[in-house]
Amino acid sequence: MLPYVAHDPRFERLVIGHVNLEKLFTGCRWAEGPAYFPAGRYLVWSDIPNNRMMRFDETDGSVSVFRSPSFNSNGNTTDRQGRLVTCEHFMRRVTRTEHDGSITVLADAFEGRRLNSPNDAVVKSDNSIWFSDPTYGIDSDYEGQQSPSEIGASNVYRIDGATGAITRVVADRVQPNGLAFSPDETRLYVADTGATHVPGLPPTIWSYQVKGQALGEASLFATCPDGLYDGFRVDIHGNIWTSAGRSVFCYAPDGTHLGTVPMGEIVANVCFGGPRRNRLYICGQTSLYSIYLNTRGAV
């Protein structure tokens, strides 16, 4: 039985028919934010309610605790210098873990008001960091600390790579969540999971035109037929591999749903890893999975 379902002939060129979907670890309460480190061949991800970050060693398959407490960390990524960038719910901040293990706070407020609970982050080639800031970490004590929003809205922000200045780049989404740039960085994709707060609101991914340090008009890219889009990443061909309810969907740059990888549990986020960046790591609700593909993740 194939581990995927093809909806378009283009999908067959992106997958390998005889590979298996592998379960690498289980025992999380809500697995999120995978980030791969090529130099060490390991993956770090968040287990938000358990207030810890986990580490999967690709060389021997072992799993260990990377950081505890993690301040209810959510999304993680790596910057262009190979450092870990983390969104922390409890501390309501974005941090960078330096090569010596020390932690630098990159953002914890905007215009004098505390952030909500940074959720996902992506790094552009100019070293700027773009992150989403919905309210999930302050909605309850399960994934952070219940608190009122000081900003009063959920936005996407940009941290300048040279000056550290923070600017608001998206203010028209209800609960902006997953983020990813197209390979040529001309588009920024943003998931909106506002259906968790506004009954009947469609779960969507939006495509924004990138205009230097700002964004242009948004266009609707996709609407999830069941469940929510959360986190996603893009391959070298511009295809989006995204969480979609209890599956991983693959979309072509033109918005065509190319194929599905059924998971059997809610999917939170994905990232590419392995020496050739052709291994898709998948954070399900309780577990970490992977599947090898016939494509590679965009840098």
Side-chain angles (χ1 to χ4, degrees), residues 92 108-110 112-116 135 138 147-153:
R92 300 166 71 166
D108 59 6
F110 178 68
R113 292 172 291 177
R114 294 185 71 190
L115 298 171
N116 295 324
T135 62
I138 59 173
S147 306
S149 171
E150 294 185 14
I151 293 175

Side-chain angles (χ1 to χ4, degrees), residues 19-221:
V19 302
N20 295 315
L21 176 67
E22 303 172 75
K23 180 181 282 189
L24 306 175
F25 178 80
T26 193
C28 297
R29 284 199 169 97
W30 184 255
E32 249 284 13
Y36 183 75
F37 292 81
R41 290 193 61 189
Y42 64 88
L43 180 94
V44 169
W45 81 96
S46 299
D47 183 2
I48 306 175
N50 280 327
N51 197 23
R52 62 181 181 173
M53 297 170 71
M54 306 298 291
R55 180 183 185 274
F56 170 74
D57 189 325
E58 203 173 56
T59 65
D60 61 9
S62 63
V63 174
S64 58
V65 175
F66 176 79
R67 179 179 295 164
S68 179
S70 66
F71 303 114
N72 300 114
S73 64
N74 188 332
N76 299 285
T77 192
T78 55
D79 67 10
R80 300 296 169 129
Q81 291 72 44
R83 297 170 295 189
L84 173 67
V85 175
T86 299
C87 297
E88 298 176 3
H89 277 185
F90 186 84
M91 299 298 286
R92 300 166 71 166
R93 66 185 187 180
V94 179
T95 64
R96 182 178 64 222
T97 302
E98 309 296 347
H99 293 304
D100 63 3
S102 61
I103 293 177
T104 300
V105 178
L106 302 177
D108 59 6
F110 178 68
E111 296 182 343
R113 292 172 291 177
R114 294 185 71 190
L115 298 171
N116 295 324
S117 53
N119 190 286
D120 198 12
V122 63
V123 179
K124 199 167 177 281
S125 60
D126 63 358
N127 292 316
S128 60
I129 298 170
W130 304 55
F131 68 94
S132 58
D133 186 41
T135 62
Y136 296 113
I138 59 173
D139 285 339
S140 73
D141 294 325
Y142 186 61
E143 295 187 9
Q145 186 174 33
Q146 188 171 22
S147 306
S149 171
E150 294 185 14
I151 293 175
S154 296
N155 304 310
V156 176
Y157 300 94
R158 176 186 183 272
I159 306 171
D160 190 89
T163 67
I166 303 170
T167 55
R168 180 170 48 211
V169 292
V170 173
D172 58 351
R173 301 272 65 88
V174 178
Q175 292 281 21
N177 203 316
L179 307 173
F181 285 104
S182 60
D184 61 5
E185 297 185 337
T186 61
R187 313 294 302 184
L188 176 69
Y189 298 102
V190 180
D192 190 345
T193 52
T196 57
H197 288 64
V198 180
L201 185 73
T204 51
I205 295 176
W206 293 81
S207 174
Y208 289 81
Q209 184 180 4
V210 178
K211 294 186 174 181
Q213 299 180 7
L215 298 176
E217 294 183 359
S219 59
L220 180 62
F221 180 78

